[in-house]
Amino acid sequence: EEQSQPAQGDPYSGDPPRHPALKVNSLKPFNAEPPAELLTENYLTPSQLFFKRNHLPVPAVDPASYRLEVEGPGGRTLSLSLPELKSRFPKHEVTATLQCAGNRRSEMNHVRPVKGLEWGIAAISTARWGGARLRDILAYAGYGGEETGEWHVCFEGLDKDLSGSAYGASIPYGKAMACEGDVLLAYEMNGEELPRDHGYPVRVVVPGVVGARNVKWLSRVLVSREESPSHWQQNDYKGFSPSVDWDTVDFTTAPAIQELPIQSAITDPPPSATVPPGELTIKGYAWSGGGRGVIRVDVSLDGGRTWHVAEMAGEEQPPGRAWAWRLWQLTAPVPTGSTELDIVCKAVDTSYNVQPDTVEPIWNLRGVLSNAWHRVHITVAQD
Amino acid sequence: EEQSQPAQGDPYSGDPPRHPALKVNSLKPFNAEPPAELLTENYLTPSQLFFKRNHLPVPAVDPASYRLEVEGPGGRTLSLSLPELKSRFPKHEVTATLQCAGNRRSEMNHVRPVKGLEWGIAAISTARWGGARLRDILAYAGYGGEETGEWHVCFEGLDKDLSGSAYGASIPYGKAMACEGDVLLAYEMNGEELPRDHGYPVRVVVPGVVGARNVKWLSRVLVSREESPSHWQQNDYKGFSPSVDWDTVDFTTAPAIQELPIQSAITDPPPSATVPPGELTIKGYAWSGGGRGVIRVDVSLDGGRTWHVAEMAGEEQPPGRAWAWRLWQLTAPVPTGSTELDIVCKAVDTSYNVQPDTVEPIWNLRGVLSNAWHRVHITVAQD
Ligand SMILES: [Mo]
Ligand SMILES: [Mo]
């Protein structure tokens, strides 16, 4: 068997070492984000600093015995070794941002307590991914005929809980099979083999879709009329009205999160910074799900009364396939006489969707989809 | 020639008669919306009540001499008569909502004056459209090969200004050619031939995309590396930051509006209504662009402090092809002792995009894309 976890004792004792700069939200399972200021120093996040979101212990996978199982139509099962996966299908590369559904959850927690890890603004990162296209593998397995967008492609990971139950998720079949969907079974991240924390040896990368569907340590792929039966597909990673609480929630009433809404945040200056009078440079990121590009970022120094348009850096991507974030910055004069600044950012995507003004009305019991205007309050040093 | 406008005098004298219930925003060209309360009485808007948005006089088209010109690759031009259009290509039917970019513009005008017609909340309507698929016609003309999503399909109407310049617009080639794009050259509306105000004999219907691209009285289709050169594609129907005014605007810096963002509004009770104490039923519509469905409508009776989830009616449409609105309603007790209610609605789409809280931060000089929470202030009658 390819998975060897410690037979006894701490199931997390086999986890890999991590970069000391990461801000840890949970050690077991390991969940951590980079310092926000470091996040926007690079368009491609260095893999060691890329946010880590593990639901379970990191499996130790032997690449020699690793097999990916792909269930074909009629129950025929394909079993692919790592060399087969790499040689039989053309390598495809995609620059894509992944964002945790819980990114910026801490802002919801300040409104009313939510259930989940206390993520700041950095549960989002961007990498260059390389691997086989999922559609090529599914076509090789025999798919491509009569199945429709209402089918689902289900994934299982090698990460398991103590009962032996694996992490799982699914995406719509249409997304998996679309030429322009760019879904990968990735074995490379930023030009190197996948790090263990990011799914070594093979993970799913579903550009434009919430992190939770980008299953790591992939063991099994199957096409189904139903979404993945996993806890994370059925009873988690869904959005609800602020009026719904844990006594009234019915998880069957909301769709599993797939594409994410427009998002942006300020990474620099950090909250509570003191800046000199004169000119101020503000930096951040902006991203939208579903391949929708970011067309504009508005920044305010006065809490949202007046706005400046930020400059955007980063690669332009094709229409409908803007999978990666845009980094932005604004250099503006600090209004003379001001002692404090309430900096705000909000982004607009190619469908002209915008971020909501405030957190309260999008609050939800699980603390997901936190994409209100981001605010940073700073002090201006007096001469 | 198929177009016969009055040779002299009022170019609008040939316009058709209209339903007297329509609220007219402009007579020449004719622009009108139905009373909001009537809008949600029917899932399919009766054609006579469907909002009318004309940019120019309604052309008088002789169906016998009508020809649709389709430029094929290499300049070969196809000329299709109406019977050819109807017989040569399978008839395809789609239920789709059209919304004017300026729907709800009057709310922006209350913030700061904008340039445009004073639309209320009813510049949006839904019909069952029947016609030929644009992709079938383009394939017949010879397309389908190497062109990509970065090409454009340009449309010209038979409606012309006094200088002879026709209304025009374009959509991305990828939208036009996608199996699941459902773009029609429609000759039927709600089971009858197109009314003159809606483009008789043939119009474009681009589900999920702003009204302005749904060119009426279609005369010509061509595939181009560039978007339509028309005024309405290049220098209108684009969104800008609230900081941009008519002195600083540069229309080359913003993309032409295509897919529209999530939208909803309250159609009943009307503003300034007085309702009895007891139970109150609130009605409205919700819709999102790009085929994204509406997954939830939240309604507040207290200005957005607390929320109820509305019941949705209307057909479920396939994922990614939810072209039509959902009508919704909420029946809730009027809180005892209240003398006024500040009713608010906001919707969520399948990508979990939400509406912004307020109008000011999305204000733009052209008054388009007005999709903040909709608010209706009413009085509660005292016993
Ligand atoms: Mo996540
Ligand atoms: Mo429009």
Side-chain angles (χ1 to χ4, degrees):
Chain A
E1 190 54 62
E2 60 272 33
Q3 186 186 9
S4 71
Q5 275 176 18
Q8 58 197 96
D10 181 358
Y12 292 93
S13 63
D15 269 21
R18 279 95 181 198
H19 195 287
L22 292 171
K23 293 158 67 181
V24 177
N25 291 320
S26 156
L27 255 177
K28 299 174 182 185
F30 191 73
N31 286 281
E33 64 190 295
E37 311 90 280
L38 291 190
L39 194 63
T40 48
E41 296 227 323
N42 304 284
Y43 179 64
L44 296 182
T45 315
S47 304
Q48 286 198 308
L49 291 175
F50 198 106
F51 84 91
K52 322 283 178 215
R53 201 285 178 246
N54 297 343
H55 294 84
L56 293 161
V58 175
V61 183
D62 170 13
S65 60
Y66 172 82
R67 294 291 181 280
L68 174 66
E69 313 254 288
V70 183
E71 273 195 26
R76 281 178 292 120
T77 295
L78 215 69
S79 175
L80 294 167
S81 71
L82 201 50
E84 283 170 331
L85 186 72
K86 292 181 179 180
S87 63
R88 195 161 290 174
F89 308 96
K91 186 166 100 177
H92 186 65
E93 290 189 77
V94 175
T95 301
T97 296
L98 296 186
Q99 181 182 219
C100 181
N103 190 32
R104 302 183 58 197
R105 177 179 287 132
S106 54
E107 293 161 67
M108 284 197 175
N109 237 341
H110 293 159
V111 171
R112 255 183 2 257
V114 297
K115 205 162 136 181
L117 297 164
E118 187 76 1
W119 293 109
I121 63 168
I124 182 170
S125 302
T126 300
R128 182 82 177 160
W129 307 96
R133 284 180 194 261
L134 176 57
R135 70 187 301 268
D136 292 344
I137 292 163
L138 289 176
Y140 183 79
Y143 288 104
E146 64 298 335
E147 307 80 13
T148 77
E150 297 183 60
W151 291 60
H152 304 272
V153 182
C154 303
F155 308 115
E156 272 179 31
L158 289 165
D159 47 336
K160 290 176 184 166
D161 66 18
L162 291 174
S163 77
S165 190
Y167 186 80
S170 61
I171 61 171
Y173 180 80
K175 169 69 177 171
M177 292 304 274
C179 278
E180 311 206 325
D182 287 325
V183 182
L184 297 184
L185 302 194
Y187 42 80
E188 281 184 12
M189 180 181 188
N190 293 329
E192 300 182 334
E193 65 183 16
L194 282 184
R196 287 188 61 211
D197 261 330
H198 295 286
Y200 179 83
V202 177
R203 76 171 300 171
V204 189
V205 172
V206 192
V209 161
V210 64
R213 313 304 169 209
N214 292 250
V215 174
K216 302 194 278 193
W217 314 291
L218 184 67
S219 65
R220 193 155 163 268
V221 176
L222 75 98
V223 175
S224 167
R225 282 186 181 274
E226 308 290 336
E227 288 184 89
S228 166
S230 89
H231 167 79
W232 297 275
Q233 190 81 19
Q234 299 289 336
N235 296 313
D236 198 357
Y237 293 123
K238 296 183 172 189
F240 293 94
S241 171
S243 60
V244 171
D245 63 27
W246 288 103
D247 294 328
T248 58
V249 66
D250 174 357
F251 272 92
T252 65
T253 61
I257 301 169
Q258 296 283 348
E259 294 183 358
L260 286 170
I262 178 73
Q263 175 69 291
S264 71
I266 299 155
T267 56
D268 195 34
S272 314
T274 298
V275 299
E279 280 208 328
L280 174 63
T281 294
I282 302 162
K283 293 183 186 173
Y285 64 77
W287 180 76
S288 190
R292 291 179 286 282
V294 174
I295 64 166
R296 200 179 78 236
V297 178
D298 294 331
V299 180
S300 174
L301 302 185
D302 55 13
R305 271 197 335 108
T306 64
W307 299 93
H308 306 256
V309 176
E311 308 258 304
M312 285 199 282
E315 295 161 18
E316 286 259 16
Q317 294 186 305
R321 298 166 87 181
W323 309 126
W325 63 14
R326 302 298 295 268
L327 302 183
W328 56 263
Q329 69 171 53
L330 174 77
T331 299
V334 174
T336 37
S338 54
T339 56
E340 300 179 32
L341 297 177
D342 188 11
I343 309 175
V344 186
C345 75
K346 64 181 175 78
V348 183
D349 74 15
T350 47
S351 299
Y352 281 100
N353 276 300
V354 300
Q355 298 178 243
D357 311 22
T358 59
V359 187
E360 289 85 342
I362 58 166
W363 183 96
N364 60 84
L365 76 179
R366 194 59 180 77
V368 291
L369 303 157
S370 185
N371 74 329
W373 298 357
H374 187 227
R375 292 173 174 271
V376 169
H377 193 88
I378 65 167
T379 303
V380 180
Q382 302 306 303
D383 288 324
Chain B
E1 189 55 60
E2 60 273 31
Q3 187 185 7
S4 74
Q5 275 176 19
Q8 57 196 97
D10 182 358
Y12 292 94
S13 61
D15 270 21
R18 279 95 181 199
H19 196 287
L22 290 171
K23 293 159 68 181
V24 177
N25 291 320
S26 155
L27 255 177
K28 300 175 181 183
F30 191 73
N31 286 281
E33 64 190 295
E37 311 89 281
L38 291 189
L39 194 62
T40 47
E41 296 225 325
N42 303 283
Y43 179 64
L44 295 183
T45 315
S47 302
Q48 288 199 307
L49 291 175
F50 198 105
F51 83 92
K52 323 282 179 217
R53 200 289 178 244
N54 297 343
H55 294 83
L56 293 161
V58 176
V61 183
D62 170 12
S65 60
Y66 172 82
R67 294 292 180 281
L68 174 66
E69 313 255 288
V70 183
E71 274 196 27
R76 281 179 292 119
T77 295
L78 214 67
S79 175
L80 294 166
S81 70
L82 201 50
E84 283 170 331
L85 187 71
K86 292 182 180 179
S87 63
R88 197 162 287 173
F89 307 96
K91 186 166 98 178
H92 186 64
E93 289 189 78
V94 175
T95 301
T97 295
L98 296 186
Q99 183 182 218
C100 180
N103 190 31
R104 302 182 59 196
R105 177 178 287 131
S106 55
E107 294 161 66
M108 282 196 177
N109 237 342
H110 294 159
V111 171
R112 262 192 344 268
V114 297
K115 207 163 139 181
L117 298 164
E118 186 78 1
W119 294 109
I121 63 169
I124 182 170
S125 303
T126 301
R128 181 83 177 160
W129 307 96
R133 285 181 195 260
L134 176 58
R135 69 188 302 269
D136 291 345
I137 292 164
L138 289 176
Y140 182 78
Y143 289 103
E146 62 300 334
E147 306 79 13
T148 75
E150 296 182 60
W151 290 60
H152 304 272
V153 181
C154 302
F155 309 114
E156 272 180 30
L158 290 165
D159 47 336
K160 289 177 184 163
D161 65 19
L162 292 173
S163 77
S165 190
Y167 186 79
S170 60
I171 61 170
Y173 180 81
K175 169 70 177 169
M177 293 303 276
C179 278
E180 311 206 325
D182 287 325
V183 181
L184 297 185
L185 302 193
Y187 43 79
E188 281 183 11
M189 180 181 189
N190 293 329
E192 301 180 335
E193 65 183 18
L194 281 184
R196 287 188 61 212
D197 262 329
H198 295 286
Y200 179 81
V202 177
R203 76 172 300 171
V204 189
V205 172
V206 192
V209 161
V210 63
R213 313 304 169 210
N214 293 250
V215 174
K216 302 195 279 194
W217 314 291
L218 185 66
S219 65
R220 194 156 163 266
V221 176
L222 75 99
V223 175
S224 168
R225 283 187 182 274
E226 309 291 335
E227 287 184 89
S228 166
S230 91
H231 167 77
W232 297 275
Q233 190 81 19
Q234 299 290 334
N235 296 313
D236 198 355
Y237 294 123
K238 296 184 172 189
F240 293 95
S241 171
S243 60
V244 172
D245 62 27
W246 288 102
D247 294 328
T248 58
V249 66
D250 175 356
F251 273 91
T252 65
T253 60
I257 301 170
Q258 297 283 350
E259 293 183 359
L260 286 171
I262 177 74
Q263 175 68 288
S264 71
I266 299 154
T267 56
D268 195 36
S272 314
T274 298
V275 299
E279 278 208 329
L280 175 63
T281 294
I282 302 161
K283 292 183 186 173
Y285 65 76
W287 179 75
S288 189
R292 290 179 285 281
V294 174
I295 63 166
R296 201 180 75 236
V297 178
D298 294 331
V299 179
S300 175
L301 302 186
D302 55 13
R305 272 199 329 110
T306 62
W307 299 93
H308 305 256
V309 177
E311 309 257 306
M312 285 199 285
E315 295 161 17
E316 286 258 17
Q317 294 186 305
R321 298 167 86 181
W323 309 125
W325 64 14
R326 301 299 295 267
L327 303 182
W328 55 263
Q329 71 171 52
L330 174 77
T331 299
V334 174
T336 37
S338 53
T339 56
E340 300 179 30
L341 296 177
D342 188 11
I343 310 177
V344 186
C345 75
K346 64 180 175 81
V348 183
D349 75 14
T350 46
S351 298
Y352 281 100
N353 276 299
V354 299
Q355 297 177 244
D357 311 21
T358 60
V359 187
E360 290 84 340
I362 58 166
W363 183 96
N364 60 86
L365 75 179
R366 195 59 180 79
V368 291
L369 303 158
S370 185
N371 75 329
W373 297 358
H374 187 227
R375 291 172 175 272
V376 170
H377 193 87
I378 64 167
T379 303
V380 181
Q382 301 306 303
D383 288 324

